[in-house]
Amino acid sequence: MILSEKAEKIQPSITLAITAKAKKMKSEGIDVIGFGAGEPDFNTPENIQQAAVSAMKEGYTKYTPASGIAELKKAIMKKFKKDNDLKYDENQIIISTGAKQCLTNVFAATLNSGDEVIIAVPYWVSYPELVKLSDGIPVFIDTKKENDFKYTVEDLKAAYSEKTKMIIINNPNNPTGTIYSKEELEKIADFAREKDILILSDEIYEKLIYDEMKHVSIAGLSEDAYKRTIVINGVSKTYAMTGWRIGYAAADKDIIKLMSNIQSHTTGNPNSIAQYASVAAIDGEESQIEEMVREFKRRRDYMVDKISKIPGVSYLNPKGAFYVMLNISETFGKNIDGVTIDDSLSFSEQLLEKEKVAVVPGLGFGIDGYVRLSYATSMENIKEGLDRIERFILNLK
Ligand code: PMP
Ligand code: GLU
């Protein structure tokens, strides 16, 4: 039988696949170190758990409005005002089953067949696949390490065509940890205005920033940028709530209306209990986040220091999120037990087989020559995992 040709072309999420594989190996008693997971290793803070328990006890276990409960929308509106000086009304907000569903809704609500969406490489794995699911065409910009893996307006001009409908900006970035400055964002916003295209700004790592960097939302730069930007955010990373599946988007009310209509058929409301828990998260104390950020920074500092001492590899110091891109291109052509490392996939496979360390091959992010290491894992794991990576590299002939 011929199944959907479109679906046949969609690759599974490699980040989730590697995370699942490492977890499975662990459950089988294999001493595996997982650098794959893009999820905080901390448990969800106690007050958020309590809010979920109360919600259940008070009977908030029924359908809610499809686009989310008013209490959570209000907390999100307050957050946008406080953190980003952005003023949204309730009809400009949608709450979904993770930022992933928000993204799926955005593309479904804005793209027509053949519309092009500009994406920077390396990209987070799901963007191209989600664009394709909505009959859009991903158009890639190869960014350079020398430019901190950021695209410039010149890059955007080269990628632009009459069919360009949207540019994606992921700030802070997964997988590189790069952060765009206000001046860079202003130039991008001017370009979008000139060409009259939409901006999708995925800001899910907004609060995971180090070295006194400041997050700037492109939507806040001008009235025009505000109108053409769809901001994506969520509770997964900031509050260690990946499993609760709550993400949100803010945009022009006409876009949010279409997204809500779509969601009302695909899933209906996101989980009611998780929505009440998210009110406690977003309205809660910032100190919990600060503690996590301090710990992530400590781990990042250890990681980059250790990597700098391993011969034959290099990295870009990440300024946000919780990933390091490790440049392993110098290992290509070398052998281990008769197997040649010829790309980031074979490097990752051999590393898992020989040293039981799981990393994500750069190929999953559209770039070979790199693997991604997540430091959302304990310091103990980081130390042991990096020692193993060092041994692996030293054993290559
Ligand atoms: N955007 C980026 C850049 C991410 O890394 C993730 C992590 N999964 C998401 C969106 C989706 O997050 P979630 O669906 O858990 O809200
Ligand atoms: N975003 C995380 C990552 O990049 C979680 C996995 C996923 O959602 O694909 O690892």
Side-chain angles (χ1 to χ4, degrees):
M1 185 190 288
I2 300 170
L3 302 179
S4 158
E5 285 166 14
K6 188 162 71 179
E8 297 270 15
K9 290 196 187 108
I10 304 298
Q11 299 299 318
S13 166
I14 189 165
T15 44
L16 288 185
I18 287 168
T19 308
K21 189 168 178 180
K23 281 182 184 168
K24 183 163 179 284
M25 285 171 77
K26 217 173 195 138
S27 74
E28 288 162 355
I30 301 169
D31 170 29
V32 66
I33 304 280
F35 283 131
E39 60 177 343
D41 52 317
F42 311 111
N43 202 4
T44 305
E46 186 64 32
N47 66 313
I48 300 174
Q49 296 181 32
Q50 279 309 327
V53 172
S54 305
M56 272 188 283
K57 294 241 150 67
E58 286 161 29
Y60 294 119
T61 50
K62 311 256 189 305
Y63 288 138
T64 76
S67 66
I69 56 173
E71 291 91 321
L72 184 51
K73 287 187 185 176
K74 288 207 169 80
I76 291 166
M77 285 152 60
K78 212 165 100 191
K79 173 246 161 301
F80 273 121
K81 186 78 194 88
K82 177 161 100 20
D83 294 341
N84 317 102
D85 200 22
L86 284 168
K87 193 179 169 311
Y88 290 106
D89 291 328
E90 227 176 283
N91 60 3
Q92 290 180 276
I93 307 276
I94 181 172
I95 299 144
S96 304
T97 302
K100 278 189 182 180
Q101 194 191 10
C102 289
L103 289 162
T104 312
N105 288 336
V106 171
F107 299 130
T110 57
L111 299 184
N112 289 306
S113 179
D115 281 349
E116 294 179 356
V117 177
I118 298 179
I119 300 173
V121 179
Y123 48 73
W124 173 53
V125 285
S126 296
Y127 297 137
E129 305 311 286
L130 292 177
V131 166
K132 286 190 271 176
L133 261 182
S134 280
D135 298 321
I137 301 173
V139 173
F140 298 108
I141 293 178
D142 281 320
T143 61
K144 295 184 191 65
K145 182 165 176 271
E146 299 74 61
N147 196 38
D148 284 359
F149 292 115
K150 292 186 251 195
Y151 57 56
T152 62
V153 169
E154 283 62 45
D155 293 328
L156 288 172
K157 277 184 189 152
Y160 176 83
S161 87
E162 287 295 301
K163 296 219 159 141
T164 306
K165 184 69 159 279
M166 176 189 285
I167 53 179
I168 298 183
I169 184 153
N170 176 207
N171 185 35
N173 183 275
N174 175 7
T176 63
T178 205
I179 294 178
Y180 284 79
S181 69
K182 184 165 181 239
E183 292 68 34
E184 288 163 337
L185 293 172
E186 272 165 352
K187 288 188 192 144
I188 295 167
D190 282 349
F191 174 81
R193 177 176 47 76
E194 249 170 59
K195 302 293 188 195
D196 192 19
I197 51 180
L198 295 168
I199 302 169
L200 176 75
S201 184
D202 183 342
E203 303 178 10
I204 198 155
Y205 296 98
E206 169 185 19
K207 302 232 180 220
L208 304 182
I209 290 195
Y210 318 107
D211 308 329
E212 266 103 63
M213 296 281 299
K214 207 178 140 20
H215 171 77
V216 177
S217 176
I218 194 167
L221 293 181
S222 66
E223 193 53 34
D224 181 82
Y226 172 79
K227 283 199 189 116
R228 65 178 69 253
T229 301
I230 302 132
V231 182
I232 304 287
N233 210 322
V235 298
S236 284
K237 319 286 175 179
T238 314
Y239 304 99
M241 292 178 71
T242 46
W244 298 71
R245 312 306 303 127
I246 296 290
Y248 55 90
D252 182 88
K253 68 175 179 11
D254 294 341
I255 295 178
I256 295 295
K257 185 173 167 208
L258 297 193
M259 289 169 67
S260 304
N261 291 349
I262 293 164
Q263 182 162 300
S264 73
H265 292 292
T266 51
T267 53
N269 63 271
N271 180 297
S272 63
I273 301 151
Q275 287 191 70
Y276 284 96
S278 298
V279 175
I282 295 175
D283 253 352
E285 288 290 316
E286 291 272 315
S287 59
Q288 282 169 334
I289 307 174
E290 285 159 14
E291 219 168 281
M292 280 194 246
V293 171
R294 257 197 306 277
E295 177 58 18
F296 282 137
K297 179 173 157 28
R298 199 170 75 88
R299 297 171 183 182
R300 179 207 61 171
D301 290 348
Y302 176 84
M303 209 168 204
V304 295
D305 182 60
K306 172 75 187 176
I307 291 170
S308 68
K309 293 175 184 145
I310 304 178
V313 292
S314 60
Y315 65 94
L316 175 85
N317 197 21
K319 300 184 173 71
F322 37 55
Y323 311 103
V324 178
M325 284 294 263
L326 184 67
N327 186 332
I328 46 131
S329 54
E330 280 189 36
T331 67
F332 292 0
K334 294 190 175 173
N335 291 282
I336 188 150
D337 294 344
V339 182
T340 307
I341 305 290
D342 43 24
D343 56 15
S344 59
L345 201 59
S346 53
F347 180 97
S348 308
E349 280 167 2
Q350 288 307 309
L351 181 64
L352 187 58
E353 194 180 310
K354 301 285 176 327
E355 293 288 354
K356 310 286 177 282
V357 175
V359 298
V360 187
L363 279 171
F365 310 105
I367 189 172
D368 205 9
Y370 287 85
V371 292
R372 190 192 76 176
L373 310 183
S374 160
Y375 47 92
T377 185
S378 72
M379 197 64 162
E380 197 188 344
N381 278 346
I382 291 173
K383 284 185 175 162
E384 171 64 20
L386 287 176
D387 285 349
R388 292 187 195 182
I389 290 178
E390 181 174 34
R391 189 166 59 213
F392 178 77
I393 288 172
L394 293 175
N395 279 338
L396 293 173
K397 298 279 174 315

